[in-house]
Amino acid sequence: NKAYYFYTKHFLEKGLKVPPIHACTEDYRYFIIKDLGDETLLSILEKEKINGSDAAVVSLYKPVLDDLLDFQLKGIEGLNLEYAFPVATFTRQSVKWDLNYFKYYFIKSHNLDFDEQKLEDDFDAFARKIMAAEMNFFTYRDFQGRNIMRFEDQWWYIDFQGGRKGPLVYDLVSLLYQAKAGLSENVRNQLQDYYFMKLDERIPGKSSEVQVHFNNYVYFRLMQVMGAYGFRGLFQRKPHFIQSISLV
């Protein structure tokens, strides 16, 4: 809750579109925040995919990618990470947490036969690849269609309290490979190109450094998502997450 409070205050000062807090108790337990209605990027996308084309979907996502870069580049400037939770920076240990989440809540829940030592060796090697990316930006951690809302003809952003200092590409992958969104490969490629073009406009030459890590982060994010779906769906038996497993 403290992370949510202080991140909100910081992002508003940076001009980022997060819902203002109207009131908060001294112990940060209860909040009254701006009501953004119930229209999300995902709900709008479902209509666009039925009535529109790839071009319409790309146009829908482009301003969101512009805002993502604002969070990643402006959002980290002067951000006090003292209140970040559960960790302040994207570390090798946090990578292993996500990989083990996948192992224990997805692989083992399906009773698959595998060599656990070899898997751990692969996880160690993979974690080194993930950590090879530059870690000096704000990583939102759950930048996907349900956390992006449309209100008063503007995009607004919620559920950022798990953010930390980390890589750029993680959030891009989270958005483009959201299982429920089901974006086509053509749309993903266009949006990926747009993001890297805009990144180069802000930091010339940066995209070439970042793109080499893209595919590794696709696999990493998908394993993290399958772990989460396994826990919420197969263990907690929540229907939405069970239904989502086949979409990953």
Side-chain angles (χ1 to χ4, degrees):
N1 286 12
K2 286 183 179 179
Y4 180 81
Y5 178 84
F6 288 103
Y7 279 6
T8 296
K9 183 178 178 181
H10 174 78
F11 290 151
L12 289 172
E13 289 173 353
K14 291 291 184 179
L16 301 175
K17 300 298 290 185
V18 299
I21 298 171
H22 298 308
C24 176
T25 55
E26 290 185 0
D27 61 0
Y28 302 102
R29 189 173 181 182
Y30 299 104
F31 294 78
I32 299 175
I33 67 173
K34 182 178 181 69
D35 184 354
L36 299 177
D38 58 7
E39 192 173 44
T40 68
L41 173 60
L42 191 61
S43 68
I44 297 170
L45 175 64
E46 290 171 350
K47 298 173 186 176
E48 288 290 346
K49 288 172 72 176
I50 294 172
N51 303 318
S53 62
D54 279 359
V57 175
V58 169
S59 296
L60 185 67
Y61 271 71
K62 280 184 175 180
V64 171
L65 289 174
D66 292 332
D67 290 343
L68 171 58
L69 279 167
D70 280 339
F71 274 98
Q72 294 176 320
L73 303 180
K74 293 170 60 178
I76 196 64
E77 296 174 354
L79 179 63
N80 183 354
L81 294 168
E82 176 185 352
Y83 299 103
F85 184 86
V87 293
T89 59
F90 199 87
T91 64
R92 187 176 182 278
Q93 183 181 50
S94 59
V95 171
K96 289 296 295 288
W97 285 344
D98 283 346
L99 294 176
N100 282 319
Y101 204 49
F102 167 68
K103 179 175 77 171
Y104 287 109
Y105 291 115
F106 192 82
I107 297 179
K108 290 200 170 188
S109 68
H110 285 84
N111 296 317
L112 298 176
D113 185 26
F114 66 97
D115 186 316
E116 192 151 0
Q117 183 58 58
K118 287 184 178 179
L119 182 63
E120 285 298 321
D121 291 342
D122 283 345
F123 280 177
D124 284 336
F126 191 46
R128 287 194 293 273
K129 289 181 177 291
I130 293 299
M131 291 304 300
E134 185 180 349
M135 300 286 169
N136 292 317
F137 310 96
F138 181 73
T139 299
Y140 198 111
R141 278 285 285 179
D142 203 15
F143 196 83
Q144 43 91 1
R146 282 192 188 82
N147 294 333
I148 301 167
M149 305 191 72
R150 189 72 176 173
F151 183 70
E152 296 178 341
D153 295 323
Q154 296 185 80
W155 292 113
W156 297 75
Y157 301 86
I158 62 171
D159 201 12
F160 43 77
Q161 65 274 4
R164 63 202 62 173
K165 188 177 182 180
L168 287 170
V169 72
Y170 186 98
D171 293 327
L172 177 63
V173 167
S174 297
L175 182 67
L176 300 188
Y177 284 82
Q178 182 183 3
K180 276 284 189 178
L183 299 181
S184 70
E185 197 65 26
N186 178 50
V187 167
R188 284 175 178 162
N189 288 337
Q190 289 187 60
L191 293 174
Q192 184 180 341
D193 290 344
Y194 178 81
Y195 173 90
F196 287 123
M197 177 188 71
K198 290 295 183 177
L199 176 60
D200 274 338
E201 289 178 5
R202 295 180 178 225
I203 310 176
K206 180 59 69 176
S207 69
S208 60
E209 297 176 23
V210 176
Q211 288 187 70
V212 297
H213 303 289
F214 187 83
N215 287 338
N216 286 334
Y217 274 82
V218 170
Y219 292 125
F220 178 53
R221 175 62 177 174
L222 291 178
M223 283 190 282
Q224 189 271 333
V225 166
M226 285 190 285
Y229 287 175
F231 177 66
R232 298 295 185 187
L234 302 177
F235 283 83
Q236 295 187 336
R237 308 305 301 172
K238 295 185 177 182
H240 162 72
F241 293 98
I242 295 173
Q243 294 163 10
S244 297
I245 290 174
S246 63
L247 301 175
V248 177

